[in-house]
Amino acid sequence: MSAHLTLSDLRHDLGGEALFSLPALDLRPGQLTVLTGPSGSGKTTLLHLLAGLMTPTAGRVDWDGIDLARLPEVARDRWRRKRAGLVFQDFHLIPELSPLENVLVPAWLGAFSASRKRGRAQELLARFGVPERARVAVLSRGEQQRVALARALLMEPAVIFADEPTASLDSASGAAVAQTLLAMARTEGRSVIAASHDPALIALADRRLRLERGKPVEVA
Ligand SMILES: Nc1ncnc2c1ncn2[C@@H]1O[C@H](COP(=O)(O)OP(=O)(O)OP(=O)(O)O)[C@@H](O)[C@H]1O
């Protein structure tokens, strides 16, 4: 289970002006890629384009040779459900449920029996040091962030998209999450794509894409 991304002639406009452009990019599986750049430069927008949550103004977003940007919405949703795990800035957790129940939500949505995934959910929460029980509403923001990350990893996605995954964490928890994301890529062969201002996460990246409003993305 792996996924290979190629971008070609990608451009996204905002209000009639280019937000960013990216002529070509090839991201092999097993890499941690970090999107960097000032606030408002378009990191979240680019993550949404790569996840098929938005359509670019122009260009191709090919995952394993299939252009996500041109697929009908239903097919894009199916691709995301089968292949991607997402952690966004607002975590979209269900506050009245426990961490364990929240992590198991994708199993229900995927029509799996949650009991089949229970062991993995428990293992992920233990790895991130978050209690299984309690109500999510009473957890700290950092704990909620780790619940959201565990939920994204439950279905063993080929691609992980994470927006500021270490932003609410102290340096020790942030380092643990960064190392987990790196292992998801290097050890497990997933594609991990994160937007981040965190120097510790940026330092671990295999690939860095630097955005600056109105300019071509710098690829390193
Ligand atoms: N739904 C939207 N409609 C119109 N403009 C939007 C929308 N979402 C974002 N923008 C604008 O797009 C630009 C890029 O925003 P984006 O959130 O992608 O930047 P970012 O680099 O992720 O910023 P941050 O680091 O603050 O999260 C900003 O000018 C923002 O105001």
Side-chain angles (χ1 to χ4, degrees), residues 3-19:
H4 187 157
L5 174 68
T6 41
L7 301 180
S8 33
D9 301 319
L10 191 70
R11 196 184 85 233
H12 198 67
D13 295 353
L14 197 63
E17 293 188 1
L19 179 59

Side-chain angles (χ1 to χ4, degrees), residues 37-60:
S39 188
S41 58
K43 301 181 296 295
T44 298
T45 304
L46 181 53
L47 272 185
H48 284 214
L49 295 181
L50 301 183
L53 290 163
M54 288 171 70
T55 308
T57 305
R60 295 178 65 102

Side-chain angles (χ1 to χ4, degrees), residues 10 26 38 50 71 75-76 82 90 119 164 176 191-192 206 215:
L10 191 70
D26 186 67
L50 301 183
L71 282 185
R76 273 192 276 161
K82 291 202 159 152
D90 37 6
E164 300 283 357
S191 299
V192 182
D206 298 297
K215 298 201 171 155

